[in-house]
Amino acid sequence: MHKLIRVLLGVLFTALPIMAAQAQEIPVETIFKKAEYGSIQLSPNGKLLGAVVPVKGRFNLAIMDMDKRSLTRLTGLDQTDVAGYFWIGNERLVFSTADRQGFESRGDGGLYAINVDGSNPRELSKPVRDGIAEGRYIVRSVQPLGRVRGSPDEIYVASNERSADTIDIFKVNTLTGKKTNITFDSPGSVQRWVFDKDMVARAAVSQDRKSEKGTFYYRDGDKAPWQKLYEWDLLEDEISPQVFDRSGKLYVSSNVGRNTIALFEYDLVNKKLGKLVYGDDTFDLTAPTVWGGGRIGVRFSSEDDDDVIMGISYTAEKSKTVWFDQKYAAVQADLDRAIPGSINRFGVLKDQMLVTSSSDRNPGTLYMYDRTKSSLTEFLRFSS
């Protein structure tokens, strides 16, 4: 065996000069070059395209008119970067800020809203760098969650504004900046909330930093008391709430009785695990943590029609989506046949959809997919 290893190593090192001679030198500037476009999102009516683009070394928010193919920059940040954004209507966006100049993004707590024509800008949360200048040193986390249904101007935001150790959910008016805490009766040290269809906090995961225990809490309604349903230590089996569907059924992630974390229904009557929905025998559907902080990429049919789970996205040997709904599965199969060897992602089914395709050889290509014609048109190619 040792002789065989020495022979193999000799062949390998003999071949190295040949491989090096054939390789092409890559300029350092290419390796550290910022992506030309990122975070591509269509407006709800499909007429505008949002994107994060580099401007003078910082990532800023821009809007593209889909008909004219013209790009308009909305922000001119020079001290921070746009970390993420989402549409709250066809005319207004919300974006968060972070320092994205290193290898990892460091959020600064800044949250803003702006119209697509640049009007009505509003600071919804002051960035940490301003707080430090004012003598406040608590690092604040601010994460936009989505829009308030039926309201064109309000969103939900997760933030540790009230306490550094617990996350609350606020309803925020993006025009006036008014905030309303909707989780004031928190069980404490909450790291993640789970809401029902009416945006009532019905489940939560908390972390005791001293004992390093994670706890799964549940309640029957917004006036009901919190119940402790499960508690676990680091490296123990966990049961962590994930999502409610429109009927009120709760789904949880767990590795109880398994080697990997899977998605289960939860029996709220008998307070125990229910039917297995999906599990991968090799890969976890979410990363295990001391407090069950991982969230499974559960896919619903749309934001306003979330009766049943359509599928699950997770990371295996590569990014993977498993569709339970046949319409979604058929579209995925159609795209995978048209763009083989790539990871092809899409959102809610519409007649016209954006499809992002990438692979180990392709940093990303954006396509327009016409479901009525099953046609695919290349729209934008990301730079490496």
Side-chain angles (χ1 to χ4, degrees):
M1 177 63 73
H2 291 293
K3 183 177 180 181
L4 176 60
I5 292 174
R6 286 196 298 271
V7 171
L8 289 175
L9 287 174
V11 172
L12 175 62
F13 286 117
T14 301
L16 279 177
I18 300 174
M19 291 186 288
Q22 294 174 341
Q24 294 182 352
E25 184 176 342
I26 301 175
V28 174
E29 292 79 7
T30 299
I31 298 174
F32 291 98
K33 181 181 177 182
K34 287 182 170 59
E36 199 170 337
Y37 299 96
S39 303
I40 306 292
Q41 295 181 40
L42 270 176
S43 62
N45 61 10
K47 295 183 178 181
L48 298 173
L49 187 76
V52 175
V53 299
V55 180
K56 295 182 179 179
R58 289 289 184 175
F59 288 104
N60 278 271
L61 185 60
I63 299 297
M64 177 182 287
D65 186 297
M66 293 295 287
D67 294 328
K68 300 177 182 178
R69 294 293 197 271
S70 58
L71 194 68
T72 303
R73 179 166 58 86
L74 282 186
T75 63
L77 305 178
D78 57 8
Q79 299 296 316
T80 188
D81 303 283
V82 172
Y85 72 95
F86 69 94
W87 295 86
I88 61 171
N90 294 313
E91 302 295 330
R92 195 161 176 80
L93 303 96
V94 169
F95 66 92
S96 58
T97 54
D99 185 351
R100 298 178 58 190
Q101 299 305 297
F103 287 102
E104 59 183 27
S105 178
R106 297 185 180 183
D108 59 19
L111 188 67
Y112 305 85
I114 192 169
N115 286 350
V116 294
D117 61 0
S119 63
N120 289 331
R122 169 68 67 171
E123 181 182 76
L124 305 177
S125 177
K126 188 180 290 294
V128 172
R129 63 181 185 277
D130 294 344
I132 292 176
E134 296 168 5
R136 294 182 289 109
Y137 297 98
I138 295 176
V139 176
R140 183 172 62 251
S141 169
V142 179
Q143 178 187 5
L145 301 177
R147 64 186 180 86
V148 176
R149 291 175 184 172
S151 174
D153 305 317
E154 293 181 304
I155 61 170
Y156 292 111
V157 173
S159 175
N160 63 343
E161 178 178 309
R162 179 168 61 131
S163 169
D165 296 326
T166 191
I167 294 174
D168 284 307
I169 306 299
F170 296 85
K171 183 188 292 186
V172 181
N173 188 300
T174 65
L175 293 177
T176 66
K178 180 183 177 181
K179 298 179 183 178
T180 304
N181 189 336
I182 65 172
T183 55
F184 199 78
D185 55 348
S186 166
S189 299
V190 172
Q191 305 301 306
R192 183 160 54 81
W193 296 93
V194 182
F195 298 87
D196 64 13
K197 63 181 178 63
D198 298 316
M199 278 304 291
V200 174
R202 297 269 307 283
V205 179
S206 70
Q207 177 192 13
D208 187 319
R209 297 184 185 278
K210 292 183 179 180
S211 65
E212 292 193 331
K213 288 182 179 295
T215 305
F216 164 22
Y217 288 98
Y218 167 80
R219 63 178 176 175
D220 293 322
D222 61 342
K223 303 300 181 184
W226 288 102
Q227 308 170 48
K228 183 187 293 186
L229 297 189
Y230 193 80
E231 188 176 70
W232 66 96
D233 290 308
L234 180 65
L235 301 180
E236 285 187 346
D237 292 344
E238 66 181 57
I239 299 178
S240 181
Q242 288 291 329
V243 68
F244 287 93
D245 67 12
R246 198 165 184 80
S247 69
K249 183 183 297 182
L250 176 62
Y251 296 84
V252 301
S253 58
S254 179
N255 57 343
V256 173
R258 294 178 50 85
N259 292 323
T260 59
I261 294 177
L263 185 69
F264 292 83
E265 293 180 2
Y266 191 81
D267 185 342
L268 289 169
V269 175
N270 298 302
K271 306 295 189 294
K272 65 178 184 178
L273 283 180
K275 183 178 69 175
L276 173 68
V277 177
Y278 182 80
D280 188 310
D281 292 336
T282 304
F283 298 94
D284 292 313
L285 297 191
T286 181
T289 68
V290 62
W291 46 270
R295 185 180 294 278
I296 292 178
V298 177
R299 302 291 298 273
F300 283 113
S301 53
S302 75
E303 186 178 358
D304 296 316
D305 182 23
D306 50 357
D307 290 321
V308 294
I309 293 178
M310 295 291 166
I312 291 176
S313 297
Y314 66 103
T315 302
E317 67 278 358
K318 61 181 181 179
S319 296
K320 184 176 182 180
T321 299
V322 177
W323 295 108
F324 307 143
D325 183 88
Q326 293 305 309
K327 296 190 299 296
Y328 281 76
V331 170
Q332 186 73 64
D334 193 16
L335 293 172
D336 291 344
R337 282 192 296 269
I339 322 171
S342 297
I343 299 171
N344 305 307
R345 305 180 183 89
F346 63 94
V348 177
L349 289 188
K350 297 180 180 179
D351 289 342
Q352 301 285 332
M353 302 188 309
L354 280 179
V355 176
T356 303
S357 178
S358 61
S359 69
D360 57 349
R361 296 174 179 270
N362 176 17
T365 304
L366 193 67
Y367 296 90
M368 291 298 296
Y369 176 69
D370 189 326
R371 285 184 63 207
T372 61
K373 302 176 182 178
S374 290
S375 64
L376 200 64
T377 304
E378 183 176 317
F379 180 74
L380 183 69
R381 188 178 293 270
F382 302 144
S383 62
S384 55

